[in-house]
Amino acid sequence: MKKARLFRGLAAVMAFLLLVTVAGSTIMFENSGMINQALNISTSMLVNTGEETAANTLVYPNEYGTDIANKQTALMVEMAAAAENVTQAEEGAVLLTNSGGALPLSETDRVTVFGNGSYNSKYNKKKDASTVDAIPTMTFNAAMQKVFGEDNVNLTLAENVYKDLSATTNKEVVEAPLSDITPYEASWKNDYNNAAVVVLTRWGSEDGETAMYAADGSRYLGLQTNEKDLLGYLRGLKGSVFEKLIVVINADQMMELGWLDEYGVDACVLAGIPGTQGFEGVANILAGRVSPSGHLVDTYAANSLSAPATVYAADNTPTWGNADAVTAACTDNNSGGDQINYYTIYAEGIYVGYKYYETRYEDAVLGRGNASGSAGSSTGSGWSYGDEVVFTFGHGLSYTTFDQELLGVSYNADTDNYEVQVKVTNTGSAAGRSVVQVYAQTPYGDYEKENGVEKSAVQVVGFEKTGTLQPGESAAVTAEVRRYMLASYDSKGAAGYILSAGDYYLAIGDDAHDALNNILAAKGYTTADGMDCDGDAAKTHAWNQAGLDAESYKMSRYDAGVEVTNQFDFADLNYYGVDFTYLSRSDWEGTYPAAVQVVDATEEMMAELDTDWYETPADAPAVSDFTQGSDVTLTFATMKDVAWEDDEVWNQFIDQLTVAEMLSLVADSNGSAAIERVAMPSAARGDDGVCIQQGSLKATGQSGMSWVSEVMTARTWNKERFEARGRMLGVEAAFCELNELWYGGGNVHRTPFGGRNMQYYSEDGNFGYIVGAHEAKAMQEVGIIYGIKHFALNDQEAHRESLSTFATEQTIRENYLRAFEGAFCEGGALGTMTGFNRIGLQYAATCKSLLTSVLKTEWAFKGHVTTDAFTASSLYKTHYLEELVAGIDYTCWDSSNITSAIQAAIDSGDGYILQCLRRAAKYNVYAASRSVSVNGLSSSSVVVTVTPWWQTTLVAAAGVFAVLTVACAALYAVLAVKGGRRRD
């Protein structure tokens, strides 16, 4: 009986191992794409059976070739990317202040580095540390030593204090107490004292909104106690020990910087989050190897809570007044119990960032709209621009000076653009680059007030950057301004875009405030009227439009047969009968959102939250109306040359696909499987929040480098840099064997606290339009799909899951959709990822107004759309049929749930769902056929699926355990019977 018990135990063990193997295999097979990427495994192989070669079927070339398995070439790509990052940092770091020409330092100056941020800097590192960057990180301290020389940089504090500290987080500022610093003052008291360089850090991240308040109740983005102590100590040593005090800001959260003069700071440089290489560029600026030319793309307020947008954001995100009732009534609530209960209101309307501060400034000067009232004032008394703004949008200094002369403005009817001609002259003593910034003011009159059309006093509409100009050298610059950007969305009157009647101004300026002062000067105002500085009327161009124009942009600019009209009425709280007032410049005092308005969700709103709206249409086609799985006459390679509008050929191709094959394109595990019948290779996708994630260099297995932050690129104000980023990231992606990057930064820095502010372009929709257009175009040109994210209104990380987001149609279109529009409509981006948020009460991935009415119809988008990452515990994400019908083409990180739901609907006879699946297949195939997936393919190519070794191993292991389980069970049974007989 001992042997019988032995085999019974072995049978149990083998059964357990079989169960674990089968269960593990199921999970791993569902996530095979991620596993294959981690193991650097390709799942399809190209075989050319005809005479065509890879060389003459190369559709998307790049200067590094397509031999992605070549280690030397892969390293060359990374070295080129590293060099570009240094350049991006040189052009994207912003010189904020420079009293008395404190910067640049001499390369022979001996300096001491202070601040925990110098050692525990923020770099934008890859989340997954299983592979190492091909290019090592250049830390701030290492960059300083490289540029100034190791013997000239005192790192005593790094070696003795900061190395023992943790890094600053999105909730806690970590800085050494002064008592830990002063014991080492001998190291700088008599040497290394040409300058004290202090590095300060703030941080936000995905799912990590930056805190509004620190643990002691002070504002997190303001100075904390240990920072104040350090700066106070160094201020006391100026003159007697240190010659200069330099501050470097290692943050993309807009810190409060009104204290610079108080602590005697001579110069301040915004370094942002510079990736693994960018600190070298920052050090080059400090040493004067290059003159700074970066400019802000955000407003830096004296009080980070002073903007109206902060009333409903971050730590202030409210919950429904009847949250318990919502939790009980809504089946879409998550397993945590409160996910569905949060909402936010864009109560500020269009007045985000500089559009708020500058517009209120003009109205204060003009004495209208109660602009000087106390509502929203940081001081508690009358509102004053000087009390609220430290550095405005567009601000940035150089080591030289420039004069900009407006030569003229002309309108080009062929392009529908204004052409602004400017002469730029370097009037200083150093070489440098200048940015021509063009701003517009459009009429705000009785019609606009009556119809609730809000107008910013000034908005950026164009820019160009000069090349390097030597002292005394001049250059002629032409900046193009899209007339479309002068139109405003009128949701109540025209229900479309209008060009208002009245006076229009285009102005150049050193920043938004300077441009507005120039406009005010053209109107006849001076400092005697309350302006803080006299403007220059010669830097403006004005004209009058006699009547309202509601026709120029009534129809889509991208499909002349489509009318542009209201699509987001449901996103306004008033739609549900809630009496809510959005901020209006017609009455700043009376409409300022002084406090959160608690909203009770009505039964209608709760029903909307549950997302169960799909019903098979009465006129739905039958499943039998469609042909699927027909004989193959068209291969995938053929489709790269077929126009989107050629319905006959596209339908012929889609007819060839089986339902299962179309579903394989809807499923996602960081890519899609090959479809052998039509010779369509597998595709792999990567995420690039800070660097290429879920992908590594095919040749080495190492990860691509972490880039300077997206906003640092934006701060270059250089379209060449935008394109260089798009192109080099595209090449990196190709060498990681990807065909798409979930990438781009279409959301807006609505507040300084946005956790992903480093990933998104700027606080301004027009500026984002321009950046995205150039980045997307460059990336698509090398055959990588620019999958811009997160579409749309996903502007905060706090409670991002299922967050209901309310805003007016004008706000949505002019601020938040505008920042995506350039990438899609001018850049040709063929991918996008939606957000976790809701628009109004509609989950973004089920919002047909967003995905179909605007994106795929008004904007004529021909790429494919994915959800953000799927998680089954978030029940609001599990409405698969609604997602498909709304315009989702595949579901991120979901390889079985959506396909099962769609298959079940088709099996039940729902021909409309099959029709939607066919439509999704077209979008998916079209996008892939305009990517590197077609490189090397010809009409005679054959794609063979390659089974990864780990799948074979798992199947074999399951087989072995199954056999052993049966064998052990059988032996146990035999021995048990024999043992029973002996007892008899």
Side-chain angles (χ1 to χ4, degrees):
M1 289 301 293
K2 288 184 178 179
K3 287 186 177 180
R5 287 195 294 270
L6 173 63
F7 282 107
R8 180 177 64 184
L10 286 173
V13 171
M14 295 304 160
F16 173 75
L17 291 174
L18 175 61
L19 179 63
V20 170
T21 302
V22 171
S25 297
T26 301
I27 295 171
M28 292 178 71
F29 274 62
E30 286 185 353
N31 297 281
S32 59
M34 302 178 198
I35 295 170
N36 290 332
Q37 283 188 354
L39 297 175
N40 224 4
I41 294 173
S42 301
T43 58
S44 66
M45 180 174 63
L46 174 64
V47 178
N48 280 316
T49 61
E51 295 182 359
E52 295 93 340
T53 65
N56 61 29
T57 55
L58 181 59
V59 182
Y60 293 99
N62 65 71
E63 59 268 44
Y64 302 94
T66 58
D67 185 6
I68 64 175
N70 186 301
K71 292 184 179 181
Q72 183 176 3
T73 306
L75 183 58
M76 288 175 60
V77 168
E78 289 304 291
M79 290 174 67
E84 176 59 32
N85 270 259
V86 173
T87 302
Q88 297 252 343
E90 290 173 347
E91 290 199 43
V94 182
L95 180 61
L96 295 173
T97 61
N98 195 22
S99 177
L103 287 178
L105 302 172
S106 166
E107 289 188 22
T108 59
D109 278 348
R110 292 167 72 79
V111 304
T112 297
V113 178
F114 294 86
N116 184 38
S118 66
Y119 184 87
N120 290 299
S121 304
K122 294 298 183 181
Y123 300 103
N124 274 350
K125 289 297 290 180
K126 182 174 179 174
K127 290 182 187 176
D128 179 8
S130 60
T131 57
V132 296
D133 290 348
I135 301 294
T137 297
M138 174 67 72
T139 67
F140 177 80
N141 290 336
M144 290 293 288
Q145 288 184 319
K146 179 178 180 179
V147 172
F148 288 89
E150 291 186 14
D151 293 338
N152 289 333
V153 182
N154 178 13
L155 299 180
T156 299
L157 294 176
E159 296 160 357
N160 293 281
V161 178
Y162 302 137
K163 69 179 179 62
D164 296 322
L165 297 181
S166 59
T168 285
T169 69
N170 63 312
K171 303 294 182 186
E172 180 188 10
V173 176
V174 179
E175 187 54 78
L178 190 60
S179 59
D180 287 352
I181 292 172
T182 53
Y184 299 97
E185 62 185 5
S187 70
W188 58 78
K189 190 171 184 179
N190 297 309
D191 198 0
Y192 294 103
N193 51 24
N194 293 121
V197 179
V198 182
V199 182
L200 303 180
T201 294
R202 294 296 187 275
W203 184 240
S205 65
E206 179 177 355
D207 205 20
E209 195 83 344
T210 301
M212 287 181 163
Y213 298 98
D216 63 0
S218 63
R219 296 191 298 270
Y220 174 89
L221 293 181
L223 285 181
Q224 302 303 298
T225 299
N226 288 346
E227 293 172 320
K228 291 178 181 178
D229 291 345
L230 172 62
L231 289 167
Y233 168 76
L234 293 174
R235 176 187 56 197
L237 296 182
K238 271 190 64 179
S240 60
V241 176
F242 288 107
E243 297 173 14
K244 303 173 183 177
L245 175 55
I246 312 298
V247 169
V248 175
I249 304 297
N250 172 214
D252 283 332
Q253 318 307 104
M254 291 80 91
M255 282 186 66
E256 299 176 4
L257 299 175
W259 45 265
L260 292 171
D261 288 341
E262 176 186 350
Y263 287 96
V265 175
D266 295 292
C268 180
V269 174
L270 174 62
I273 309 295
T276 58
Q277 296 298 301
F279 272 130
E280 182 176 346
V282 175
N284 285 341
I285 286 175
L286 296 178
R289 292 185 177 183
V290 62
S291 180
S293 60
H295 292 260
L296 296 179
V297 293
D298 297 291
T299 301
Y300 281 65
N303 177 349
S304 57
L305 299 175
S306 66
T310 64
V311 176
Y312 294 90
D315 297 343
N316 292 339
T317 306
T319 58
W320 304 113
N322 57 338
D324 290 344
V326 173
T327 300
C330 294
T331 58
D332 263 1
N333 208 14
N334 70 316
S335 55
D338 66 349
Q339 186 181 69
I340 205 168
N341 286 334
Y342 290 90
Y343 67 93
T344 188
I345 309 171
Y346 288 10
E348 70 281 0
I350 69 167
Y351 301 112
V352 171
Y354 77 94
K355 289 183 178 179
Y356 165 65
Y357 295 105
E358 302 301 335
T359 306
R360 193 159 179 179
Y361 166 75
E362 180 183 59
D363 286 350
V365 171
L366 272 55
R368 64 188 187 188
N370 297 314
S372 296
S374 61
S377 168
S378 294
T379 64
S381 57
W383 189 91
S384 169
Y385 183 89
D387 293 333
E388 306 296 340
V389 178
V390 179
F391 301 112
T392 191
F393 183 96
H395 172 76
L397 304 178
S398 173
Y399 292 153
T400 188
T401 56
F402 297 95
D403 175 71
Q404 295 187 358
E405 178 186 358
L406 180 62
L407 300 177
V409 176
S410 58
Y411 173 67
N412 186 329
D414 292 335
T415 62
D416 194 32
N417 289 343
Y418 292 97
E419 297 172 352
V420 181
Q421 293 90 35
V422 179
K423 179 183 177 182
V424 182
T425 302
N426 184 341
T427 57
S429 58
R433 306 185 71 169
S434 180
V435 175
V436 172
Q437 303 177 34
V438 184
Y439 295 84
Q441 183 180 108
T442 64
Y444 181 63
D446 291 341
Y447 177 90
E448 287 71 33
K449 294 174 185 176
E450 290 169 5
N451 289 280
V453 180
E454 297 298 327
K455 294 293 188 81
S456 174
V458 68
Q459 58 177 327
V460 65
V461 288
F463 57 88
E464 289 293 338
K465 194 168 192 175
T466 70
T468 299
L469 298 178
Q470 299 299 321
E473 185 179 4
S474 297
V477 174
T478 298
E480 292 195 344
V481 173
R482 298 158 182 81
R483 188 171 72 120
Y484 171 60
M485 288 188 176
L486 306 185
S488 299
Y489 196 86
D490 172 14
S491 63
K492 296 178 181 177
Y497 283 102
I498 62 169
L499 290 165
S500 298
D503 293 330
Y504 285 74
Y505 295 87
L506 289 177
I508 58 173
D510 293 335
D511 52 44
H513 193 62
D514 185 44
L516 179 55
N517 276 334
N518 292 339
I519 292 171
L520 287 170
K523 292 180 175 183
Y525 293 90
T526 68
T527 52
D529 301 296
M531 290 172 60
D532 54 16
C533 179
D534 284 329
D536 184 350
K539 293 186 176 181
T540 68
H541 172 80
W543 71 95
N544 180 272
Q545 181 168 300
L548 179 76
D549 176 2
E551 297 299 318
S552 285
Y553 303 110
K554 181 179 181 65
M555 308 305 289
S556 166
R557 299 165 69 219
Y558 318 108
D559 185 338
V562 175
E563 182 179 358
V564 177
T565 191
N566 289 7
Q567 299 293 346
F568 300 101
D569 290 338
F570 60 85
D572 186 337
L573 262 177
N574 292 283
Y575 176 84
Y576 293 100
V578 177
D579 185 13
F580 188 83
T581 300
Y582 295 88
L583 182 63
S584 173
R585 69 182 294 191
S586 64
D587 183 6
W588 295 102
E589 187 78 9
T591 63
Y592 191 92
V596 167
Q597 179 174 325
V598 177
V599 176
D600 286 346
T602 64
E603 290 186 8
E604 178 188 5
M605 295 168 77
M606 286 187 270
E608 187 86 7
L609 283 168
D610 268 346
T611 319
D612 293 315
W613 52 260
Y614 175 71
E615 293 182 0
T616 305
D619 60 350
V623 171
S624 59
D625 290 343
F626 300 100
T627 298
Q628 303 302 154
S630 64
D631 292 341
V632 173
T633 57
L634 296 170
T635 63
F636 170 70
T638 306
M639 304 312 292
K640 72 180 188 299
D641 300 316
V642 179
W644 174 268
E645 295 76 16
D646 194 338
D647 290 335
E648 181 179 353
V649 176
W650 276 104
N651 284 331
Q652 182 182 346
F653 180 83
I654 301 299
D655 286 347
Q656 298 172 156
L657 301 179
T658 65
V659 169
E661 287 168 340
M662 290 190 291
L663 287 173
S664 74
L665 298 175
V666 173
D668 170 74
S669 180
N670 277 107
S672 58
I675 302 178
E676 292 185 17
R677 292 177 59 254
V678 294
M680 183 173 179
S682 60
R685 307 175 181 113
D687 195 357
D688 188 342
V690 295
C691 62
I692 296 177
Q693 302 180 76
Q694 297 94 38
S696 54
L697 295 168
K698 185 69 177 176
T700 66
Q702 294 173 306
S703 65
M705 62 174 294
S706 296
W707 275 66
V708 301
S709 64
E710 180 67 72
V711 66
M712 191 169 203
T713 296
R715 287 194 289 258
T716 69
W717 287 66
N718 188 344
K719 296 169 185 177
E720 291 181 1
R721 296 278 73 78
F722 306 160
E723 291 173 1
R725 182 184 185 112
R727 183 174 185 83
M728 280 307 307
L729 269 166
V731 173
E732 274 194 290
F735 274 77
C736 291
E737 204 173 20
L738 306 176
N739 83 326
E740 180 167 11
L741 282 181
W742 295 319
Y743 175 73
N747 288 302
V748 170
H749 302 169
R750 179 173 169 253
T751 74
F753 309 101
R756 291 197 184 190
N757 278 0
M758 73 284 197
Q759 293 182 28
Y760 298 144
Y761 304 131
S762 104
E763 71 181 17
D764 184 80
N766 286 348
F767 195 89
Y769 180 110
I770 296 169
V771 179
H774 288 271
E775 277 193 5
K777 180 176 182 290
M779 188 177 289
Q780 291 284 163
E781 284 178 347
V782 294
I784 301 300
I785 298 169
Y786 190 87
I788 187 172
K789 60 184 185 181
H790 295 90
F791 192 54
L793 281 74
N794 191 182
D795 307 295
Q796 72 174 56
E797 295 299 293
H799 311 292
R800 62 180 183 160
E801 296 269 347
S802 192
L803 179 70
S804 294
T805 307
F806 295 99
T808 67
E809 179 118 12
Q810 182 187 9
T811 298
I812 291 171
R813 286 185 178 268
E814 290 186 27
N815 281 22
Y816 299 98
L817 297 189
R818 180 67 56 79
F820 286 90
E821 188 176 353
F824 291 131
C825 300
E826 291 194 24
L830 288 177
T832 188
M833 175 182 283
T834 58
F836 287 142
N837 61 303
R838 296 173 184 265
I839 298 177
L841 299 168
Q842 297 182 19
Y843 172 37
T846 63
C847 184
K848 195 170 184 178
S849 293
L850 177 71
L851 304 183
T852 297
S853 299
V854 172
L855 179 61
K856 294 184 174 182
T857 305
E858 285 185 17
W859 292 354
F861 176 69
K862 301 176 180 64
H864 60 180
V865 183
T866 182
T867 66
D868 204 341
F870 167 82
T871 47
S873 62
S874 296
L875 298 180
Y876 76 103
K877 301 176 185 176
T878 63
H879 294 276
Y880 309 110
L881 300 186
E882 284 82 4
E883 291 171 8
L884 181 69
V885 170
I888 289 294
D889 302 305
Y890 70 100
T891 305
C892 176
W893 293 358
D894 180 12
S895 60
S896 61
N897 293 281
I898 190 169
T899 56
S900 298
I902 294 172
Q903 182 70 66
I906 294 171
D907 290 344
S908 71
D910 193 331
Y912 183 67
I913 291 298
L914 177 55
Q915 186 178 40
C916 291
L917 179 61
R918 287 172 58 91
R919 179 191 65 193
K922 180 179 179 181
Y923 282 108
N924 285 320
V925 174
Y926 185 90
S929 69
R930 272 64 180 175
S931 77
V932 290
S933 291
V934 299
N935 276 354
L937 288 180
S938 70
S939 58
S940 60
S941 297
V942 174
V943 173
V944 178
T945 298
V946 178
T947 303
W949 60 263
W950 62 268
Q951 292 186 356
T952 304
T953 301
L954 285 174
V955 171
V960 169
F961 290 137
V963 170
L964 290 174
T965 299
V966 172
C968 290
L971 286 169
Y972 163 69
V974 170
L975 291 171
V977 170
K978 287 182 178 180
R981 287 175 181 171
R982 283 196 295 268
R983 285 197 299 273
D984 291 342

